Structures are given as C-alpha cells and as structure tokens.
Amino acid sequence: MSILGSYLRLAPADLDRAVHQPGRAVQFWHEQAERDELRAPAERRCHRPGTAWPVLAHLLARHDLPADLVHGDRPLAGDEDGSYGPTRLLTPEQVAALAGRLAVLPFDVLVADRTPAGLAAAGLGPTALWADPYAFEHLRAEYAALHAFLDRTARYRHGLLVRYA
C-alpha cells in the first residue's frame, strides 16, 4: 500500500480558519470534495495525482523548489483524520513561488537520467504502472495537471492544504 498525497485549494480566509480552528481542515476537505463533483474540471478545488504521486514526489524532491510541494510546510494541529500525519499548509505566496518554479521546470528535465525500469526498481508507484510502455506519458500528463492546478491556485491567490492517505 502506498501513500498518496492530495491538495485542497482554499482562499486566504478559509486557510486562516483551518489554521485557527483545529479539525476545520478535514471539514473543508469533505465539503469541497462533494462540491467538486459539480464543478467544471478547471474550477475544482481538490487535486489528487493518484498513483503518480510517489513518483512525482521522488522526482520533485530532486529539484530546488522554493517550498515543500510534496509534504507542505506548516502542519495544522488536530487534523490527523486517519491520514499519514497532520494536514499541512502552503501559503498563497509559497504557491505562487512553486507555480513559477514549475513553469520553468519542463517534464523532460524533471525525469532527466531516470528510466521507468529505474523508478520501478526504486519501488516507486504500483508495479503495473511500470509495465505500461506509456508510463512516462502518464507521468507527463499528471505533472502537467499538477502544474495547471498550482498555476490556477496562484492566479486566484489561494493557498493549499496538503494531506496523505
């Protein structure tokens, strides 16, 4: 079983409530996940890279990012909710810096000197992912989706909550 990360985009006032009201972040997450089913894809508040998460986390950790996109920054007290640690926060300023960095970090640079076989040997992602001859195309699409989500979040001047499950 692998750990999968996910993101929730929130306006600054909602981020502030999540910080100052223990347990509020999990409530925001459930509310927004329900609403996302009715939103157009470009307007969704939640983003889940799915099975690409451990691989993207590994690849992004190799690059000098202005904030910790993989794990988040500041932990929120009282938001364990059965996940692997507390919900963590990325401020709107950190999100803007991350979106700017990903804008100049093309996928080919992200995966430079890596192969599907090497990533499989490192135990990153499900074995079935690496059996697919189009594994890197899947990763490319997930990286593009993550970058688009960050870019949209930065344009709205929103922050992010990061969780693991």
Tab-separated table of all heavy atoms in Angstrom, residues 16 56 82 95 101-102 110 120 141 162:
chain	number	residue	atom	x	y	z
A	16	ASP	N	-7.021	30.636	6.908
A	16	ASP	CA	-6.886	31.168	8.260
A	16	ASP	C	-7.790	30.415	9.241
A	16	ASP	O	-7.383	30.072	10.340
A	16	ASP	CB	-7.205	32.662	8.260
A	16	ASP	CG	-6.863	33.309	9.584
A	16	ASP	OD1	-5.689	33.220	10.004
A	16	ASP	OD2	-7.775	33.893	10.214
A	56	LEU	N	6.091	11.337	-8.670
A	56	LEU	CA	6.231	12.786	-8.751
A	56	LEU	C	6.927	13.328	-7.499
A	56	LEU	O	7.773	14.223	-7.593
A	56	LEU	CB	4.871	13.455	-8.942
A	56	LEU	CG	4.219	13.259	-10.305
A	56	LEU	CD1	2.814	13.846	-10.317
A	56	LEU	CD2	5.072	13.874	-11.400
A	82	GLY	N	-6.972	9.943	10.386
A	82	GLY	CA	-6.638	8.657	9.785
A	82	GLY	C	-5.625	8.731	8.670
A	82	GLY	O	-5.300	7.735	8.064
A	95	VAL	N	2.645	29.094	-2.856
A	95	VAL	CA	2.039	28.506	-4.054
A	95	VAL	C	2.478	29.273	-5.297
A	95	VAL	O	2.834	28.674	-6.319
A	95	VAL	CB	0.497	28.479	-3.940
A	95	VAL	CG1	-0.135	28.088	-5.265
A	95	VAL	CG2	0.070	27.509	-2.840
A	101	ARG	N	8.204	28.245	-10.319
A	101	ARG	CA	9.313	27.294	-10.493
A	101	ARG	C	8.929	26.168	-11.439
A	101	ARG	O	9.719	25.776	-12.298
A	101	ARG	CB	9.727	26.726	-9.126
A	101	ARG	CG	10.822	25.688	-9.186
A	101	ARG	CD	12.150	26.289	-9.652
A	101	ARG	NE	13.205	25.290	-9.598
A	101	ARG	CZ	13.687	24.669	-10.680
A	101	ARG	NH1	13.249	24.975	-11.885
A	101	ARG	NH2	14.628	23.757	-10.557
A	102	LEU	N	7.710	25.630	-11.303
A	102	LEU	CA	7.290	24.564	-12.203
A	102	LEU	C	7.147	25.058	-13.646
A	102	LEU	O	7.327	24.286	-14.581
A	102	LEU	CB	5.988	23.918	-11.722
A	102	LEU	CG	6.154	22.654	-10.877
A	102	LEU	CD1	7.018	22.852	-9.672
A	102	LEU	CD2	4.828	22.058	-10.524
A	110	LEU	N	12.633	17.199	-15.463
A	110	LEU	CA	12.198	16.516	-14.245
A	110	LEU	C	12.623	15.048	-14.249
A	110	LEU	O	13.053	14.515	-13.232
A	110	LEU	CB	10.674	16.621	-14.097
A	110	LEU	CG	10.069	16.099	-12.810
A	110	LEU	CD1	10.415	17.015	-11.645
A	110	LEU	CD2	8.561	15.983	-12.953
A	120	ALA	N	10.925	1.781	-11.220
A	120	ALA	CA	10.296	0.549	-10.735
A	120	ALA	C	11.206	-0.131	-9.717
A	120	ALA	O	10.747	-0.598	-8.672
A	120	ALA	CB	10.002	-0.392	-11.897
A	141	ALA	N	1.439	13.627	-18.134
A	141	ALA	CA	0.078	14.166	-18.002
A	141	ALA	C	-0.217	14.558	-16.557
A	141	ALA	O	-0.817	15.614	-16.299
A	141	ALA	CB	-0.947	13.153	-18.510
A	162	VAL	N	-2.251	20.240	2.199
A	162	VAL	CA	-1.682	19.006	1.674
A	162	VAL	C	-1.984	17.902	2.674
A	162	VAL	O	-1.746	18.068	3.867
A	162	VAL	CB	-0.153	19.133	1.471
A	162	VAL	CG1	0.425	17.866	0.878
A	162	VAL	CG2	0.184	20.344	0.623
